[in-house]
Amino acid sequence: MPIDSAQIKKLDQLDKISTHINEFYIHDSSLIYLDGNSLGRLPKKTITNINDFMLNEWGDQLVNGWENWINEAQISGDLLAENVLGAKKGEALVCDTTSVNFYQLCSAVIKLNPDRKIIITDAANFPTDRYILEGIADTFGLKLVIIDNEETDANEYERITPDLIRPYLNNDIALATFQVLQYRSGALNPMREITSLIREYDCLTVWDASHAAGSVNLDFAKNNIDLAVGCTYKYLCSGPGSPAYLYVKKSLQKKLQVPIQGWFAQKDQFEMGPKFIKSEDIRGFQIASPSILGLRCVNTAIKIINNASIPEIVKKAQKGTDIMIEFYDQWLKSLGYKLMTPRDKYKRGGHISIMHENARSISVALRNFENVIVDYRKPNQIRIAMSPLTTSFSELYEGLKKIRNVTENKTFKKIKDFDGKKIY
Amino acid sequence: MPIDSAQIKKLDQLDKISTHINEFYIHDSSLIYLDGNSLGRLPKKTITNINDFMLNEWGDQLVNGWENWINEAQISGDLLAENVLGAKKGEALVCDTTSVNFYQLCSAVIKLNPDRKIIITDAANFPTDRYILEGIADTFGLKLVIIDNEETDANEYERITPDLIRPYLNNDIALATFQVLQYRSGALNPMREITSLIREYDCLTVWDASHAAGSVNLDFAKNNIDLAVGCTYKYLCSGPGSPAYLYVKKSLQKKLQVPIQGWFAQKDQFEMGPKFIKSEDIRGFQIASPSILGLRCVNTAIKIINNASIPEIVKKAQKGTDIMIEFYDQWLKSLGYKLMTPRDKYKRGGHISIMHENARSISVALRNFENVIVDYRKPNQIRIAMSPLTTSFSELYEGLKKIRNVTENKTFKKIKDFDGKKIY
């Protein structure tokens, strides 16, 4: 039975975390924003906290402020670990970029097994991860094996399953690394099974949780995850270019050595001694001064997430993607779209991806004519997200209806020129 | 003839850039802040620009903002190159931390000459640079040669001169790296001569300009500098943990390959293609999304610097350090202090360092009893800075007088307990 607007209204009424939208700054209330998986909205409290920081800390305390700021990558890391990652205090840092953290952890893993010669990852992994691995492989004379999971007709498109990777596993593998949630298709990988399968070959797995954090249960402790990195500007709503994070399971912290050993990793940092002596805890993974402005954005957003609670957030993401798939079945399938995301809600995060030959023009038409923001991915996919803290079911309904209309009425055909613009 | 307060007043009246202090947020006008070389003050315009960014860009444009933000590390890099570094457009990026940029450029240089086995630097180099070099040397089986320049009785304490380094030069050197201005002593190294001497051995020099930028003429183009990095939170007043910069001379950009090859270095970034193909320009040195908040802080501060102009800033730094040395001669020398900074103004930046056996207690006493902030460096030095945009000659006068008083009256002896605090 098709879903109607009354049912959607009901879903919004039942939504336990619907009021959190009031904690975010909304400039244009008519905008339908289905791209919170690319850049999350601005929390109102971030505006206050950033101003407080500028006036009362940087402006007032000046250099004395460092007495408080010096450990702040760890403080934010603890907040993130306990409220988002399902990890323990002292297992995460908020710092640098996902790319730098990824390079650091992957290189450290490789260093553990210098005789092993293979790195495995998948073709659908996010470009920066693949490019960085290519660089690491070049530098250390390793072979980068890229598992092909981009066949669009595959049973589980892009999803990393034990069956997919088993043929590639052997005792020459130095490192395995995947995304927790595939950035394009939105397929959620079985972290626990994959990590444990790879561990049978005495190899560690580095997970990139960028597209997952804030939309799925990461439960790093329960899933026995060893290493992970990710960004905070998507569902974690910390702003463009906000600091990333890294997670290192406690038991691995002493033995892993990152390649960029900066002064924040030094045991007695302000001794400024002649030789590097690594901190044996998570601090041994920090390079340099973190952006304090950036950390305050992260702290603020995580507190909102904590109030809403990850279990409720995940439930809403699952319901939201369920609804999107129902709309797809009801409205879009017959218009030439193909669903690229698993139908099982436990195999998804907060976004779905739909393929259409006119995906690019449709995405631009939605922006230009309908005030709907979706995310286009080359060559022919559109990602649509439920960002649980800020997206209502009605917004999804209106957005999907407009996707239908633009496709059905062929208004997207008016889009001739992309002005050399990229869509992110 | 001793300087008196009338002469100091005169200097403030003649100071062409004295009014720029009005562009900065001053919380406590009685504070004497002589530590702008650790953390620069907050520009008022930064407060406005950060709020504008939050409300009108992140909050309003959401993901569409990336159309404008995507090249912003280069835009800020150009601003910095032309107004601070004396370099050309397209030769600098503002991104990441000094440590990450340092690792990237040093590793790229080493990769150029894989058969060479020696890295040279000096013992007085900033810890993070030394620790990172130690890590690089370990990884690639190179020898890290650390030139001893910490003899406090040396003729030119800490200063890197051709005579100092000549004995260490040979054709096995893969990389040489020094600070432009020694962080502790404040000695300004002869960049041009050192770079050119090392180039005779077909070797490149990476300069860390952190403690120099915004207080000396860097003139990278005129000095034929190849590579440099630095931070923006000191004289460049961009806030705690603000993004750092890297500079790569145009002619080297194509052939240097950094180890962390992220997606921002990819030629067609949003093609997201399977193989890494490096941008041949400065973009080939960018790893990932920069902090846009951070870049706006940098842009704002550089515009103030540009209005004041580097030549005027440098003149004031030289005059300020001259005056400090005169006060040292007049008041401090007889109290057990020793000047650790060159007397020649062309061999200094914006700070001087004075050694005293009670340096730590004196620094704390100045903070606790006199509302004067100086910078203590283990084991026994005090750094005092003229930050040209925000420090007046009267402030220097009052500050130095208080250093004299605290030392003379021995009020520093009341400081028994450092509360486990560090002074930065």
Side-chain angles (χ1 to χ4, degrees):
Chain A
M1 210 181 63
I3 307 174
D4 58 27
S5 63
Q7 283 170 288
I8 290 293
K9 217 165 264 171
K10 187 84 189 163
L11 281 173
D12 278 332
Q13 282 161 5
L14 293 171
D15 176 9
K16 285 188 189 159
I17 57 173
S18 65
T19 55
H20 287 285
I21 183 68
N22 301 323
E23 296 177 54
F24 289 81
Y25 174 78
I26 307 294
H27 175 85
D28 170 7
S29 59
S30 71
L31 172 71
I32 294 173
Y33 190 56
L34 305 181
D35 202 6
N37 57 323
S38 285
L39 183 70
R41 285 186 179 276
L42 165 66
K44 288 177 188 165
K45 187 84 182 157
T46 297
I47 305 168
T48 321
N49 287 348
I50 289 299
N51 278 289
D52 279 355
F53 168 74
M54 288 193 288
L55 294 176
N56 302 325
E57 296 191 61
W58 174 11
D60 174 14
Q61 300 170 19
L62 292 161
V63 75
N64 290 341
W66 274 113
E67 294 281 356
N68 305 314
W69 307 328
I70 197 75
N71 297 322
E72 205 155 313
Q74 284 165 273
I75 293 167
S76 299
D78 286 345
L79 261 175
L80 184 83
E82 297 192 308
N83 296 311
V84 177
L85 306 182
K88 291 190 284 287
K89 263 192 181 169
E91 293 191 317
L93 286 176
V94 179
C95 59
D96 295 295
T97 61
T98 311
S99 296
V100 168
N101 294 338
F102 182 73
Y103 175 82
Q104 290 275 77
L105 297 192
C106 288
S107 302
V109 168
I110 284 166
K111 203 176 174 164
L112 281 185
N113 285 305
D115 296 333
R116 296 188 171 205
K117 294 295 173 210
I118 296 173
I119 299 173
I120 61 171
T121 191
D122 63 304
N125 200 345
F126 195 74
T128 204
D129 297 36
R130 288 186 279 108
Y131 301 155
I132 286 170
L133 292 173
E134 212 183 308
I136 293 175
D138 281 354
T139 301
F140 294 100
L142 306 178
K143 188 177 169 196
L144 176 60
V145 173
I146 296 181
I147 299 169
D148 183 8
N149 57 343
E150 292 190 305
E151 176 50 63
T152 54
D153 288 326
N155 181 32
E156 292 201 280
Y157 171 61
E158 288 193 355
R159 195 154 179 271
I160 311 293
T161 59
D163 284 350
L164 178 76
I165 65 166
R166 205 171 277 114
Y168 299 90
L169 301 180
N170 56 58
N171 286 312
D172 203 20
I173 293 170
L175 165 72
T177 176
F178 306 104
Q179 298 169 91
V180 174
L181 189 122
Q182 300 292 23
Y183 82 93
R184 189 169 38 204
S185 67
L188 178 62
N189 297 318
M191 268 188 293
R192 185 189 173 84
E193 291 86 326
I194 298 292
T195 304
S196 133
L197 174 61
I198 290 164
R199 202 181 279 125
E200 288 174 21
Y201 297 84
D202 283 326
C203 177
L204 294 170
T205 306
V206 174
W207 291 98
D208 183 342
S210 292
H211 296 79
S215 74
V216 305
N217 285 309
L218 288 170
D219 281 335
F220 283 167
K222 227 165 72 185
N223 288 319
N224 199 12
I225 300 305
D226 292 311
L227 298 154
V229 299
C231 76
T232 63
Y233 44 73
K234 299 175 182 294
Y235 299 111
L236 304 185
C237 300
S238 304
S242 56
Y245 55 88
L246 60 82
Y247 155 85
V248 182
K249 189 204 274 175
K250 190 76 196 164
S251 59
L252 288 170
Q253 291 177 5
K254 195 173 160 182
K255 73 173 176 182
L256 284 171
Q257 171 61 55
V258 291
I260 314 178
Q261 50 184 45
W263 65 318
F264 271 66
Q266 174 78 349
K267 208 166 180 180
D268 290 306
Q269 184 181 1
F270 285 90
E271 280 300 324
M272 296 189 161
K275 299 295 281 180
F276 178 75
I277 300 160
K278 178 176 167 273
S279 283
E280 291 186 355
D281 60 6
I282 194 71
R283 188 62 170 260
F285 296 81
Q286 188 174 347
I287 304 170
S289 309
S291 160
I292 307 299
L293 276 176
L295 293 180
R296 296 306 167 89
C297 292
V298 174
N299 297 351
T300 308
I302 294 177
K303 281 170 191 164
I304 300 176
I305 289 172
N306 187 31
N307 287 338
S309 91
I310 284 288
E312 287 303 324
I313 285 171
V314 172
K315 254 189 249 167
K316 186 170 172 186
Q318 290 173 347
K319 189 70 196 166
T321 45
D322 265 348
I323 293 290
M324 289 192 259
I325 291 172
E326 293 199 45
F327 288 137
Y328 159 80
D329 286 331
Q330 194 168 314
W331 294 334
L332 302 180
K333 207 169 167 178
S334 59
L335 294 172
Y337 285 94
K338 180 177 175 177
L339 178 68
M340 306 308 291
T341 309
R343 283 182 175 269
D344 177 348
K345 67 181 176 186
Y346 298 111
K347 295 181 178 175
R348 297 190 309 253
H351 82 268
I352 68 161
S353 182
I354 51 179
M355 192 162 83
H356 191 282
E357 57 175 340
N358 300 113
R360 185 167 189 183
S361 305
I362 291 168
S363 299
V364 178
L366 285 164
R367 266 176 160 85
N368 292 4
F369 309 141
E370 303 291 344
N371 207 18
V372 175
I373 297 183
V374 294
D375 185 71
Y376 163 70
R377 288 290 144 174
K378 288 192 175 180
N380 55 10
Q381 293 189 40
I382 298 173
R383 301 190 307 181
I384 324 165
M386 152 64 80
S387 187
L389 292 171
T390 58
T391 316
S392 67
F393 291 97
S394 306
E395 200 176 355
L396 281 185
Y397 176 75
E398 293 302 324
L400 273 283
K401 213 164 62 181
K402 291 192 174 195
I403 294 175
R404 179 193 64 186
N405 296 348
V406 160
T407 316
E408 209 166 44
N409 305 338
K410 301 203 186 305
T411 45
F412 68 85
K413 293 210 163 173
K414 291 187 210 156
I415 304 296
K416 298 282 181 214
D417 181 5
F418 297 110
D419 304 328
K421 282 198 181 181
K422 286 155 183 143
I423 299 172
Y424 307 104
Chain B
M1 210 182 62
I3 307 174
D4 59 27
S5 62
Q7 283 170 288
I8 289 293
K9 217 165 264 172
K10 186 86 188 161
L11 281 173
D12 278 332
Q13 282 160 5
L14 293 171
D15 176 8
K16 285 188 190 160
I17 57 174
S18 65
T19 56
H20 287 285
I21 183 68
N22 301 323
E23 296 176 55
F24 288 81
Y25 174 79
I26 307 294
H27 175 85
D28 170 8
S29 58
S30 70
L31 172 71
I32 295 174
Y33 190 56
L34 304 181
D35 201 6
N37 56 323
S38 285
L39 183 70
R41 284 185 179 276
L42 165 66
K44 288 177 188 166
K45 187 84 182 156
T46 296
I47 305 168
T48 320
N49 287 347
I50 289 299
N51 278 290
D52 279 355
F53 168 74
M54 288 192 288
L55 295 176
N56 303 325
E57 296 191 63
W58 174 11
D60 175 14
Q61 300 170 19
L62 291 162
V63 74
N64 290 342
W66 274 113
E67 294 282 356
N68 305 314
W69 307 328
I70 196 75
N71 297 322
E72 205 155 313
Q74 284 165 274
I75 293 168
S76 299
D78 286 345
L79 261 175
L80 184 83
E82 297 192 309
N83 296 311
V84 177
L85 306 182
K88 290 190 285 287
K89 263 191 180 169
E91 293 191 317
L93 286 176
V94 179
C95 59
D96 295 295
T97 61
T98 312
S99 296
V100 168
N101 294 337
F102 182 73
Y103 175 82
Q104 289 275 77
L105 297 192
C106 288
S107 302
V109 168
I110 284 166
K111 202 175 175 164
L112 280 185
N113 285 305
D115 296 334
R116 295 187 171 205
K117 295 294 172 211
I118 296 172
I119 300 173
I120 60 171
T121 191
D122 64 305
N125 200 345
F126 195 74
T128 204
D129 297 36
R130 287 186 281 108
Y131 301 156
I132 286 171
L133 292 173
E134 211 183 308
I136 294 175
D138 280 354
T139 301
F140 294 100
L142 306 177
K143 189 178 168 195
L144 176 60
V145 173
I146 297 181
I147 299 169
D148 183 8
N149 58 343
E150 292 190 304
E151 176 50 63
T152 54
D153 288 327
N155 181 33
E156 292 201 280
Y157 171 61
E158 288 193 356
R159 195 156 179 270
I160 311 292
T161 59
D163 283 350
L164 178 76
I165 66 165
R166 206 171 277 114
Y168 300 90
L169 300 180
N170 56 58
N171 286 313
D172 203 21
I173 293 170
L175 164 72
T177 177
F178 305 104
Q179 298 168 92
V180 173
L181 189 121
Q182 301 292 24
Y183 83 93
R184 189 169 37 204
S185 68
L188 178 62
N189 297 318
M191 268 188 293
R192 185 190 173 83
E193 290 86 326
I194 297 291
T195 304
S196 134
L197 174 60
I198 290 165
R199 200 181 280 124
E200 287 175 21
Y201 297 84
D202 283 326
C203 178
L204 294 171
T205 306
V206 174
W207 290 98
D208 183 342
S210 292
H211 296 79
S215 75
V216 305
N217 285 309
L218 288 170
D219 281 335
F220 283 167
K222 227 165 73 186
N223 288 319
N224 199 13
I225 299 306
D226 292 311
L227 298 154
V229 299
C231 76
T232 63
Y233 45 72
K234 298 175 181 296
Y235 299 111
L236 304 185
C237 300
S238 303
S242 57
Y245 54 87
L246 60 82
Y247 155 85
V248 181
K249 190 204 272 175
K250 190 76 197 164
S251 59
L252 288 170
Q253 291 176 5
K254 196 173 158 181
K255 73 173 175 180
L256 284 171
Q257 171 61 55
V258 291
I260 314 178
Q261 50 185 46
W263 66 317
F264 271 66
Q266 174 78 348
K267 207 166 180 178
D268 290 306
Q269 184 181 1
F270 285 90
E271 281 299 325
M272 295 189 162
K275 299 295 282 180
F276 178 74
I277 301 161
K278 178 176 167 272
S279 283
E280 291 186 354
D281 59 7
I282 193 72
R283 188 62 170 259
F285 296 81
Q286 188 175 347
I287 304 170
S289 308
S291 161
I292 307 300
L293 276 176
L295 292 180
R296 296 305 167 88
C297 292
V298 174
N299 297 351
T300 308
I302 295 177
K303 280 171 192 163
I304 300 176
I305 288 171
N306 187 31
N307 287 337
S309 91
I310 284 288
E312 287 303 324
I313 285 171
V314 172
K315 253 189 250 168
K316 187 170 171 186
Q318 289 173 347
K319 189 70 196 167
T321 44
D322 265 348
I323 293 290
M324 289 192 259
I325 291 171
E326 293 199 46
F327 288 137
Y328 159 79
D329 286 332
Q330 195 168 314
W331 293 335
L332 303 180
K333 207 170 167 176
S334 58
L335 295 172
Y337 285 93
K338 179 176 175 177
L339 178 68
M340 306 308 291
T341 309
R343 284 182 175 270
D344 177 348
K345 68 181 175 186
Y346 298 110
K347 295 181 178 174
R348 296 191 308 254
H351 82 268
I352 67 161
S353 182
I354 50 179
M355 192 161 84
H356 191 282
E357 57 175 340
N358 300 112
R360 185 166 189 185
S361 305
I362 291 168
S363 299
V364 178
L366 284 164
R367 265 175 161 86
N368 292 4
F369 309 141
E370 303 290 344
N371 207 18
V372 174
I373 297 182
V374 295
D375 184 71
Y376 163 69
R377 288 290 144 173
K378 287 192 175 181
N380 54 11
Q381 293 190 40
I382 298 172
R383 302 190 307 180
I384 324 165
M386 153 63 82
S387 187
L389 292 171
T390 57
T391 315
S392 67
F393 291 97
S394 306
E395 200 175 355
L396 281 186
Y397 176 76
E398 293 303 324
L400 273 283
K401 213 164 61 180
K402 292 192 174 196
I403 295 175
R404 179 192 65 186
N405 296 348
V406 161
T407 316
E408 209 165 44
N409 306 338
K410 302 204 186 302
T411 45
F412 67 85
K413 293 210 164 175
K414 291 186 211 157
I415 305 295
K416 298 282 179 214
D417 181 5
F418 297 111
D419 304 327
K421 283 198 180 181
K422 287 153 183 146
I423 299 171
Y424 307 105

